[in-house]
Amino acid sequence: MTATITIDKPLDEGVRTLLRSMLEKGTVRAVLTLRRLEDGGGVAHCLVTDPAALAEAVPLLPVMPSQGGQVLSHLTQEEPFKEPVAAVVRPCEARAFVELMKRNQAFGDNLVLISPECPGVFPVQRVSGDPMDDDIDAYWRSTSEGKGADGLRPVCTGCELFEPIGVDMTLRLVGRSDLDKVLTVRLDTQRAEDMVKDLGLGKAKEDGKDPKGLEALRSARAKGRADLRAELDFTGEDMAEFSRTFGKCISCHACSKVCPICYCQMCYFEARAAAAGPAWWRNDLKRKGATRAPPGTVFFHVGRLLHMSISCVACGMCEDVCPVDIPVARIFKKVGEAAQEVFEYVPGRDPKEEIPIKTFVEDELHEVER
Amino acid sequence: MARRIGFFICECGPNIGENVDIDAVLNAVEDMDDVVLAARFGLMCSGPGKDFLKANIKTEKLTHLVVAACSPKQHELTFMEVCEDSGINPFLFQLTNIREQVAWVTKDKEEATEKTIRLAKAAIRRVRYHDPLSKTALAVNADVLVIGGGVAGMAAALRLASPERRVHLVERSSSLGGRVVAQGPIYPTMASGGEMATAMVDLVEGNDWIVVHRYSEVSVVVGFFGNFEVVVTGELEDGGTLETKVNVGAGVVATGAEVLEGKPLEDLGHGSIDGVVSSAELEAMLADGSIGGKGGKAPKSVAFVQCVGRDEVGYCSEICCMNSAKQARLLLEAAKGAKVHILYRDLCVPGRDQQAFLEGAVKAGANLVRTTSVEVGGSKGGITVSHSLGDGKAEKLMVDMVVLSPAMVPPTGTEGMAEMLNVELDPSGFLLEAHAKLEPMAAGIDGIYLAGSASGPRSVSDSIVQAEACAGRVLSSLIPGRTIEPEIRVSHILETLCTGCQTCLEVCCYGAIVYDPMKNVSHINAAICRGCGNCVAACPSNAISLYHFTYKQLYQEIVEAIR
């Protein structure tokens, strides 16, 4: 039903070929992709207009140095792209971008999203230094067999939404034995088909049958999700548990800085007068005789859970950057999914689907009444 | 200046006095910070009670006042006035409800006392963080917009128009008079509806203070009670449109109702069987003499079928039983000796005159038959009407004419009207009143009123009553030269924190928030905001706060209440 093209180069090289021809033929004006920085400065999202500069692009490198949805929001918050731009982002990054569009923090006009069936990413600490070559070889071997690789971000191992939703092109990777020879690209929209027609990359064909490995990874991820939940020592049901879990937080707020959904210009918890003023600690002192200074450490996380867990895409950025090893992403994934289930809401599924706070229904949720 | 808080507890006669240990409450709060006086009184809202408050404010030089008494709905204003009279800003006052929320509902006296102490302490704690707020005054625009030129709209316009109050009457069609202008005699007086409506049209057209906008619809309404900005879009003869801007202080919606058409009538042979007509068509035939007039035909037997479409719309249209009784009487006069059957499901004859009127129709020869279902078929000798009488019995009538009484339905465009005015719709699609019993003439928005069938099918007399009620509400509150005091406990946005996500726009029930794309922030129009707090709760950036219900005030109150 859906058209597919194959490019006779594998993985990163295949994607580079696709992006390069789009730039050269003028199909898009720029591309956004992960790319190695000059002089060994690590890997970062880069906006590229010069086809030659794509030589350093590593679109499929299994890391997420910053959340692509957040990056695209920063680029398009003021105004939409005026000319077509292609962006290679992972499915959770694309879904975060959709959530940001719903909140008027991004424009999707002229944006062509290209997204892989995502085998997961390694923790962000591995971006610089060690080139990870052996691990990456093993990663692609597992992917072609439809197995999860070792050493991924914990939430990636329980991600059931690893197949892109609502993108223009899907890079078919999972379970494909020819992964080291060709890149298979499914064209999910009419726009994608029209663009690829003129690129000289061969004629689009009907999409073949899904490889067995894809189904295998689906099952593995479902089991992974159940395992994550079972292993996580957090129910969200009692205050002592919150204190125990988030008590070691050093309030660096890095989790909210890298979170695509935490889009406030200034977080309430950064405003000292509001979140740490005398109104807070005087009462605590009167009541308990001692209070953590400044107060609000645990409340920060409760506030974040309240505000953004409904839109949490479980990308795992927060947990990667936590310097004191709080399993932030696993907690947010669990709590987020519980909230999302209540509203039958899947963040990033559809730009037209309103966020639940905007769809107040008077007669609902009687089960939470006492 | 140091705070000097006075705490007063009202016994409310025996209501609070007998169910709460008042002395224990006074003991519990008198040592709180800044409390300089804790006292009790029998009935604080009475003249002596207010004098007691005023005397104590003066002698103790109080700066803040807390009263533990009844619901704020009942006496918050009373005590705020006491504050104003005594030179205290009325917002440095807090009323805590220990009657409805404690004395009346908590039976155990010890428990009630404990609860009262918590509420009293919470209110005292809260008032320490109150900010004085100053009221603002706006000059009112006394002019009124009336939408719809039927009898309801005309009655409202005629009552409202005066040298000091211009009325803009907007009518969609070419002429005033609405549905009633096409009516012959109307029940119960059998005076001519057409003549009555025409007389009203003459009065409206002769009134210098009513501006009639024909071929026109209201396309924009923004603003608030006392100051609405309206755009009236008129259709020009050359097919173009003309936009007229008018400013008014209030609006009366008198858009009436339409008659149901389509399937429910077609199922009963309307449009396919000769002699099956709607009640409106019969009205026209009676008026132009094609029945009973010179050369007019006179049917020998007629069946009225009531409640056509009632199941589909889900309500009783209220006026059709009486209308058929009236038409039966007219038919029996016009066609002497005719057999007239009225097939009804339930009779709707409320009020003083209606039953007698119906009995008059029966006396004149109408045959009332209760039925559960009706089928109409054409045949050679006339029309067959088969209907069941309940209990499994059925009856077949042969008639020359069938008159269908269809339901009344909201006029086209009601949904758009509701959205424009921010008025809710009821499930059947009519405009919803603020309160079905207490405020049937008011919409949920201040300054917008509903007259006639706009909020559901109504008789002429009920429509006039409602129009007069709307006029009464306007005349008593929108007085030329006066100022209005908009709510000042409203929300405001701190621009530096606003991210421009516009979630607040979606949750605002009053259309009080606009987005400024240049600055990428939202703004609240304080004059439209009603202070509900929806936006405050929805704002992820904590950029919105509500005067008099700040986070700090609520936090302090809660801390004390749950200590």
Side-chain angles (χ1 to χ4, degrees), chain A residues 102-105 107 263 355 358, chain B residues 498-508 513-517 520-522 538 540:
Chain A
K102 289 181 195 172
R103 289 164 169 79
N104 298 300
Q105 301 301 304
F107 289 100
Y263 62 91
I355 51 174
K358 292 185 182 176
Chain B
C498 177
T499 37
C501 71
Q502 299 159 59
T503 307
C504 51
L505 268 77
E506 304 282 337
V507 299
C508 178
I513 312 184
V514 290
Y515 172 68
D516 175 356
N520 188 29
V521 291
S522 296

Side-chain angles (χ1 to χ4, degrees), chain A residues 77-78 102-105 263-268 274 279-280 282-284 286-287 307 354-355 357-358, chain B residues 33 125 496-503 506-507 520 537-542 551-552 555-556 559 563:
Chain A
Q77 187 168 21
E78 287 288 310
K102 289 181 195 172
R103 289 164 169 79
N104 298 300
Q105 301 301 304
Y263 62 91
C264 290
Q265 301 207 343
M266 182 175 184
C267 178
Y268 175 72
W280 284 67
R282 277 205 190 120
N283 281 305
D284 269 10
K286 262 201 173 169
R287 195 157 46 98
H307 278 186
E354 293 270 32
I355 51 174
I357 197 167
K358 292 185 182 176
Chain B
D33 289 350
R125 180 107 203 159
T496 44
L497 292 184
C498 177
T499 37
C501 71
Q502 299 159 59
T503 307
E506 304 282 337
V507 299
N520 188 29
C539 176
S541 313
N542 215 56
Y551 276 111
K552 197 186 261 184
Y555 179 79
Q556 296 293 340
V559 159
R563 184 181 290 275

Side-chain angles (χ1 to χ4, degrees), chain A residues 128-144:
Chain A
S128 51
D130 170 18
M132 320 188 267
D133 289 346
D134 291 348
D135 287 342
I136 289 173
D137 285 348
Y139 174 93
W140 288 122
R141 260 198 315 280
S142 316
T143 301
S144 69

Side-chain angles (χ1 to χ4, degrees), chain B residues 381-403:
Chain B
I383 309 170
T384 16
V385 178
S386 327
H387 70 101
S388 35
L389 297 158
D391 304 336
K393 287 179 206 152
E395 185 182 54
K396 198 177 256 186
L397 300 169
M398 283 295 289
V399 294
D400 331 321
M401 180 185 239
V402 169
V403 183

Side-chain angles (χ1 to χ4, degrees), chain A residues 1 6 23-24 52 110 114 161 165 181 224 274 289 315 318 335 337 356:
Chain A
M1 202 183 106
T6 44
L23 272 185
E24 283 169 352
N110 281 322
I114 302 171
L161 297 173
I165 315 173
K181 295 179 196 74
C315 64
C318 50
V335 175
E337 283 171 354

Side-chain angles (χ1 to χ4, degrees), chain B residues 3 69 85 144 147 220 324 343 345 348 368 377 387 423 464 493:
Chain B
R3 293 187 200 90
D85 292 349
V144 181
I147 309 174
V220 179
S324 293
L343 306 179
R345 275 168 46 186
C348 180
L368 283 177
H387 70 101
V423 173
I464 303 273
I493 294 179

